Structure formats: C-alpha cells, structure tokens
Amino acid sequence: MNAELFTPIRPDLFEVRTRAPGPAGRLPLTPELLRERPSGDLFGLTQNAGMGWDPAEVGRKPFLILSTQGGLREPDGRPIALGYHTGHWEICLLVEAAARELRRLGGLPFAGFVSDPCDGRTQGTPGMFDSLPYRNDAAIVFRRLIRSLPTRVGVLGVATCDKGLPAMMMALAGARHLPAVLVPGGVTLPPERGEDAGKVQTLGVRYAHGLLSLEEAAELGCRACATPGGGCQFLGTAATSQVVAEALGLALPHSALAPSGQPVWTELAVRSARALVALEARSLKTADLLTPASVRNAMAVHAAFGGSTNLLLHIPAIAHAAGLPRPTVEDWIAVNRRVPRLVDVLPNGPVGHPTVRVFLAGGVPEVMLHLRALGVVETGVLTAAGVTWDAVLDAWAASERRARFRARLRELDGVDPDEVILPPARARERGLASTVTFPRGNLAPEGAVIKSTAIDPAVLDAAGVFRHEGPAKVFTSERAAMQALKDGRLGTGDIVVLIGAGPLGTGMEETAQLTIALKHLPFGRHVTLLTDGRFSGVSTGACIGHIGPEALAGGPIGRVRDGDRLRVVVDTRRLEGRVDFIGEGRRTFTPEEGAAVLAARPPHPDLRPEPELPEDTRLWALLLAAGGGTWGGCVYDLEALARRLGGG
C-alpha cells in the first residue's frame, strides 16, 4: 500500500518546466504612471498580462463582477462538482454574459465570488446555525473584495438566494461612492407534474402521517426542482430579495424572478453590464440610487407582494450599510396599513401561482404601476437604469415587453395576468390580506411578527381576526418539536412554543421544516406556533416569530411551561395582535397579572444554547445585540459597539 503513495497516475507527470517565455508585448506604461502611481497599480497591470489579457489593453477601465456562484459545470451543464443549491449553480453563465459585454464595451472585467449555503439543505441540521450569520460574513468579504481591487470603477453583483443575495445588496449598498448594479439570478421552474420545492420539504412528516407512500415521496422529491438553476418557485426569502433589489433601484426594472437559463435571463446580464457602464459614464453612484425614499419603496413593494418576513431583517441591514436610517417596527406597521397586497403567489394564495408567472405578469414594474396610481410609492427616485421610476413606468406601460410576456402567460398556462398581479379593486374583492402584523403582549413585550397574509382564511372570523386560546406545548429545540409532530403528539388546538431559537440559542435558525409541515398536515391550520426564532419565506399559517426579548436574553417566552394557557389574537385587517400568557392550572388572570407571574418564574429548566452552536455564531449574536438586535437588522453597528466597548 505504501509503495503506491508515489505511483504516477499520468504518463507526463515528470515533464516539468522551470521557466516560461512570458506574455509577448509591452505594458502601456507612461513616465507619469511610473513616477506617480502606487506600486500596486503597476503590479496589477503585470498580473493582468500574466493571466493572458492583451498587454496593450490592460489599461482599460476595470469593472468588478462579484457573484455567489457555486459548483463546477461541464460546458454542456453536466455537473463535475455540485453546488450547494440550484440558486448558484447556473449564475456563472450570467457572469460570463456580463463579462463579455463589459469587454465588448471597452472595459476590463474582473470576477470574484463568495459562494452561499442552502437554507433548504440545512433545515433541521446544525448547518442552520450558520445561516443568518453567514449573511454578515459574506457582506464583509464582498466589501473587502471590492476594496481589494483599488482601480475598479464599478461593481456588478450577481446573486439569487436567501443569504447570498441580501449579503450582496449589503455590500453594494456599502460601496456608496461607486456605481453598482445587481443582477438577480432568477427562479427555477415548477415540475409539469409534482410539487414545488416548498411543499416537497414536508415529505418526511407527510409520510409519517400516512399521507403518501414511499414511492410517491421518492418521485415527488426527484422532480421538485424541474430546472437546474434559479431560486425556489415560491415567494420565499430568495424571490422576495430579488423583488426588493429591484424596488430599491439596485437591479434593472423587470429583472427579478426571470426563469433561470432562458434567453430573457441571460439578456438581463447583458443589459445590466450596459447599465453599469452608463452609470459610470454619468458619474452616478450607488448613493444616488439608494435613498430613504428607495427604502420606503422597497417596503411598499414587499407589502404588495406579500413577501417573506426575513426581509424585516435584511432591509434594515441594507439601509444600515448604505448609511441610511433603518426602518422601525412602527414604519413597517404604517407601510402595511397603507399598501394593499396585490400579488397571488406561492405560498400565500389564494391560488398560489409560481414565481415565473409573476415575472410573466409583469413583476415589479406591474406592481409599481398599481402602487403609483394609489399614491403609495415615491417614483421620482433613480433606478439602476439611470432614470426615475416615473420614466420606467411610463415606458413599461406602453412596452412590447409587457404586452408580449403577459400574452405569453395566457398562451402557456391559460392564466389571466390580472389574476396573478391583481388590480387593487380586484385584490379587495378576493380578500387579499395585508402582509405582516406585529403582535405584542406579555410574551412579546419587544414585539413579534406574523405573516398574517398567510393565515388560512378558514380560521379567521368574519372580521378577519384570528383567535386561538389553548394549552402550551413547550420545546427547547426544533428537533424535538418535529419529532413530536411526526409521532402524533401535536394536534388540533395546541399552541407550540419553541424557545431558545433566537440569535443566542441557535443563531436565529430558520424553523421552516416545522412551519411548512404544519401547513401541509390536515390539522395544521388549527395549531399555532410561537418562537423567538424565525421562519422561511415559504412558511404559512399562524406562526409568530421574532418574539423579543429572546428566551436566552431573559425574555418571558423562556418562562412558559407545558400546560400554561395562552391566548393569541391577530387582526389581519387592522394589523394588530397580542400574544399573552393568561393562566396556569385552574387559575386565569389578566395579561398584566400574567406578566407578573412570568417575571417571578425562573427560566425553563431545559433552556440553553444549542450544544453545537459554533463559536463564530455566538460572537455574531453578541455583537448584533449591541447594534439594535433582531429589529435592527442583525447588523454590526460600529458606533454602538464602540460606545459599549469604550472604543474611540
């Protein structure tokens, strides 16, 4: 065996050279460049020639393309090494298309990447403890990469999914003095026969409850991702982040949710490269695009789409990176009261169209047309196209692009575009509820959030109010709660309380496997979930998360016991709600009395951080607590940290 350690596996192994002729030609140097420029600039030109660029052209304007690409593909698309997920598997093609266009336009394209994890792949595993902290880490590395190419004159970001795309937006927002354009990586298609990538995540729990066979599970799981690239087919965090990037003005109009791998998707990379060069030529910077009005527009579009509650973490983080005021809970409440939901898309319903249909129906520009008519967006702000939203919407309304894609939706799927993106009057008729509500109460004195638009209408009363009073079943890990669900120990009328799932306990893990399972079990609509963790954007039902303070920070949610009587009220029209502890044993009391009882109790005896919580994540949790915590976007606020630590 040892003799084989150094056995050659190819015949030319020993044909080694010790010198090479080097690139032919001359660098375009000048006396001024040699006398005045730093040595790094000169060495960079040497590196450019060494990598094979024509030495006579290494002095072109450098444009940097950053992406989250992952995996390694053959030219025909077959995998050599898999990526973590479809969302970063094909975007190398977008990078290539953009780079070729930048080169054609006379630029010198550079490319770097920071690959991203898959929140679906890490559901229910210790990998989820790194999910949200990854966003901050990736944003830092992206910013370092931008600064590490000192001569770059503009940045193009290409990203698709749950954490990589918010990280990219944070990085571009922080590059305030540079022009920047974001290219959303699009969406995968749903299967012709089968289930979307959200529902398929419940195969295990449905099999455990006898709702499908082993053979059915195997076939459904195989087909769910019907095309190899793009984010999931529902309006989860990935798709919502694409929509928000466009609403912010960072991405070109009608770029979010394009079907990955198709001509319209590749064309977006080319158009984005052209837009970046045009912004640079006009000296328009990211700071010219990202303004407080841009952030308000993003919040309005989020509400109109019924977007993922994870964007309540990401939009404040993007604003912070841009040096803008972060939206508060009160700001979110005001926006959601003012802006109606207009989009019927998975997972919200009522029909639940896949995201590709939203793109064909007109995507963000179509929604913005309606919002402009309602007077709830600020259309005088600039976009990545170099013109204002008013100019974009005027052009969109009369465009061939709009007419032909909407006609294509009718032709392919027999769907009226106005049934996917509904005019406001029709949305009211169909009862599309506003997107999010922020309950308080003695269990959530700092607030909580519920995607109220995703509560099953069957459990709302005539006034649109959800009410649930019942016994608590407390779990200190998602793993234990999932096992109880599979074993049949959870059922109609239960209020599941999952504690220790906030930043200090799990890195604020995403509890999607639990919430999605409840959606697809027959009794799930009659179960309420309360947690200091967060949810996937595909989650639906009476799931209340982000409860603050988190249990491990002393929050009253960490003092609840099995059998405690809880009351949950969510008014989906007035966007008000409460989450209260109101009884123990045979005693009942007011919310105020309940708060006093909780305050006198010790924390739950099993409450502790996850044993496998990485030290990196513990550090992240401690740092973000000083910078505004969950409601501040889970960011590192340097000024707040300096005050806390006594730094300058």
Side-chain angles (χ1 to χ4, degrees):
M1 180 65 181
N2 291 342
E4 297 176 2
L5 285 174
F6 299 108
T7 301
I9 61 173
R10 51 182 298 167
D12 58 353
L13 183 70
F14 301 109
E15 296 177 11
V16 177
R17 292 186 300 162
T18 60
R19 293 179 183 272
R26 297 162 56 91
L27 294 179
L29 302 182
T30 64
E32 291 76 19
L33 191 151
L34 290 169
R35 289 193 183 100
E36 299 174 11
R37 298 281 286 275
S39 65
D41 286 0
L42 301 176
F43 186 67
L45 298 180
T46 299
Q47 288 281 296
N48 298 347
M51 288 184 283
W53 201 271
D54 183 345
E57 296 184 350
V58 295
R60 290 179 171 198
K61 284 185 178 180
F63 288 89
L64 175 58
I65 307 172
L66 292 175
S67 78
T68 55
Q69 69 183 69
L72 190 62
R73 299 159 42 96
E74 297 275 14
D76 63 3
R78 288 180 299 166
I80 299 171
L82 288 170
Y84 285 28
H85 55 95
T86 60
H88 65 208
W89 175 244
E90 287 189 330
I91 61 174
C92 56
L93 304 178
L94 295 176
V95 173
E96 180 182 349
R100 291 185 183 279
E101 184 65 10
L102 288 171
R103 180 172 183 163
R104 188 189 71 80
L105 294 171
L108 182 64
F110 287 78
F113 64 92
V114 180
S115 198
D116 54 358
C118 176
D119 278 3
R121 188 180 292 274
T122 57
Q123 288 296 333
T125 77
M128 183 51 73
F129 304 158
D130 287 294
S131 170
L132 186 53
Y134 161 88
R135 182 206 67 175
N136 289 23
D137 295 345
I140 290 170
V141 176
F142 279 133
R143 286 194 291 264
R144 291 192 188 280
L145 287 173
I146 292 170
R147 294 192 294 266
S148 297
L149 188 66
T151 56
R152 73 280 179 266
V153 297
V155 186
L156 193 75
V158 187
T160 304
C161 280
D162 292 28
K163 300 304 177 300
L165 180 47
M168 185 70 77
M169 286 192 277
M170 290 166 66
L172 298 185
R176 305 171 200 173
H177 61 293
L178 290 169
V181 176
L182 190 138
V183 185
V187 299
T188 190
L189 298 185
E192 294 175 352
R193 293 182 302 105
E195 298 178 351
D196 67 84
K199 186 173 182 179
V200 81
Q201 293 180 47
T202 68
L203 291 175
V205 72
R206 285 186 288 149
Y207 174 77
H209 281 263
L211 299 177
L212 46 74
S213 68
L214 182 62
E215 182 179 352
E216 288 170 329
E219 291 182 359
L220 290 169
C222 183
R223 289 196 300 266
C225 296
T227 49
C232 294
Q233 308 104 328
F234 46 82
L235 195 76
T237 307
T240 307
S241 296
Q242 294 185 41
V243 164
V244 162
E246 189 176 329
L248 281 167
L250 277 175
L252 287 182
H254 202 226
S255 60
L257 313 182
S260 184
Q262 299 190 39
V264 65
W265 173 83
T266 310
E267 187 215 36
L268 288 169
V270 176
R271 290 174 55 221
S272 297
R274 292 178 184 175
L276 179 62
V277 171
L279 290 175
E280 192 277 332
R282 295 174 58 192
S283 299
L284 287 174
K285 317 298 186 191
T286 303
D288 298 317
L289 305 183
L290 291 184
T291 65
S294 306
V295 175
R296 290 191 291 270
N297 283 345
M299 296 168 69
V301 170
H302 175 272
F305 268 79
S308 163
T309 54
N310 276 323
L311 271 294
L312 274 65
L313 304 174
H314 301 322
I315 289 178
I318 296 162
H320 178 262
L324 302 173
R326 286 177 275 181
T328 65
V329 171
E330 289 70 27
D331 294 330
W332 283 105
I333 292 171
V335 166
N336 279 272
R337 283 179 173 161
R338 186 172 71 250
V339 178
R341 180 165 68 96
L342 303 178
V343 182
D344 183 349
V345 61
L346 287 169
N348 301 334
V351 173
H353 297 282
T355 44
V356 67
R357 288 183 181 171
V358 180
F359 177 79
L360 293 174
V364 172
E366 193 70 20
V367 170
M368 286 284 283
L369 272 180
H370 292 305
L371 298 184
R372 181 173 70 168
L374 293 172
V376 295
V377 285
E378 300 170 61
T379 50
V381 297
L382 282 173
T383 69
V387 298
T388 66
W389 266 113
D390 270 324
V392 167
L393 296 178
D394 290 343
W396 171 257
S399 68
E400 178 188 15
R401 184 184 180 97
R402 179 188 185 223
R404 292 192 63 175
F405 276 131
R406 286 167 64 86
R408 192 77 175 138
L409 178 57
R410 292 188 183 94
E411 175 189 340
L412 291 173
D413 290 0
V415 172
D416 179 355
D418 288 339
E419 292 293 328
V420 180
I421 299 174
L422 286 72
R426 188 177 298 187
R428 283 194 301 273
E429 292 170 6
R430 300 291 167 80
L432 270 67
S434 294
T435 299
V436 290
T437 300
F438 297 87
R440 293 188 183 271
N442 65 24
L443 290 178
E446 290 183 358
V449 65
I450 180 170
K451 192 174 181 181
S452 44
T453 195
I455 300 176
D456 191 322
V459 297
L460 302 178
D461 66 17
V465 179
F466 171 80
R467 291 184 172 85
H468 188 179
E469 192 170 311
K473 289 194 174 177
V474 181
F475 299 91
T476 56
S477 75
E478 187 197 27
R479 186 167 49 253
M482 274 302 298
Q483 195 59 54
L485 190 59
K486 289 182 177 180
D487 292 347
R489 289 181 282 127
L490 294 178
T492 298
D494 286 334
I495 298 181
V496 178
V497 181
L498 174 59
I499 59 176
L504 292 170
T506 66
M508 205 175 188
E509 67 179 342
E510 190 175 82
T511 59
Q513 61 167 350
L514 184 57
T515 56
I516 301 171
L518 289 171
K519 174 184 178 180
H520 292 290
L521 290 174
F523 60 84
R525 70 178 66 175
H526 302 294
V527 175
T528 297
L529 173 66
L530 310 178
T531 183
D532 51 4
R534 62 189 177 90
F535 307 131
S536 160
V538 74
S539 298
T540 62
C543 302
I544 298 176
H546 300 213
I547 288 177
E550 65 173 299
L552 283 163
I557 190 74
R559 294 181 168 87
V560 177
R561 302 290 194 272
D562 280 340
D564 282 347
R565 191 151 196 85
L566 309 182
R567 182 168 64 208
V568 178
V569 179
V570 178
D571 188 326
T572 64
R573 296 179 188 170
R574 296 171 60 87
L575 302 186
E576 299 172 347
R578 288 192 63 88
V579 185
D580 289 307
F581 163 64
I582 58 166
E584 60 177 350
R586 296 184 178 181
R587 295 175 59 203
T588 59
F589 26 69
T590 66
E592 292 74 21
E593 292 169 334
V597 172
L598 287 172
R601 282 183 180 176
H604 193 286
D606 297 331
L607 178 65
R608 58 182 57 86
E610 276 284 346
E612 296 181 72
L613 189 70
E615 290 188 0
D616 301 334
T617 299
R618 291 184 60 198
L619 176 61
W620 165 85
L622 293 170
L623 291 175
L624 72 88
T630 301
W631 297 107
C634 293
V635 298
Y636 306 142
D637 185 326
L638 181 59
E639 297 304 320
L641 285 167
R643 289 192 298 271
R644 181 76 63 90
L645 298 174

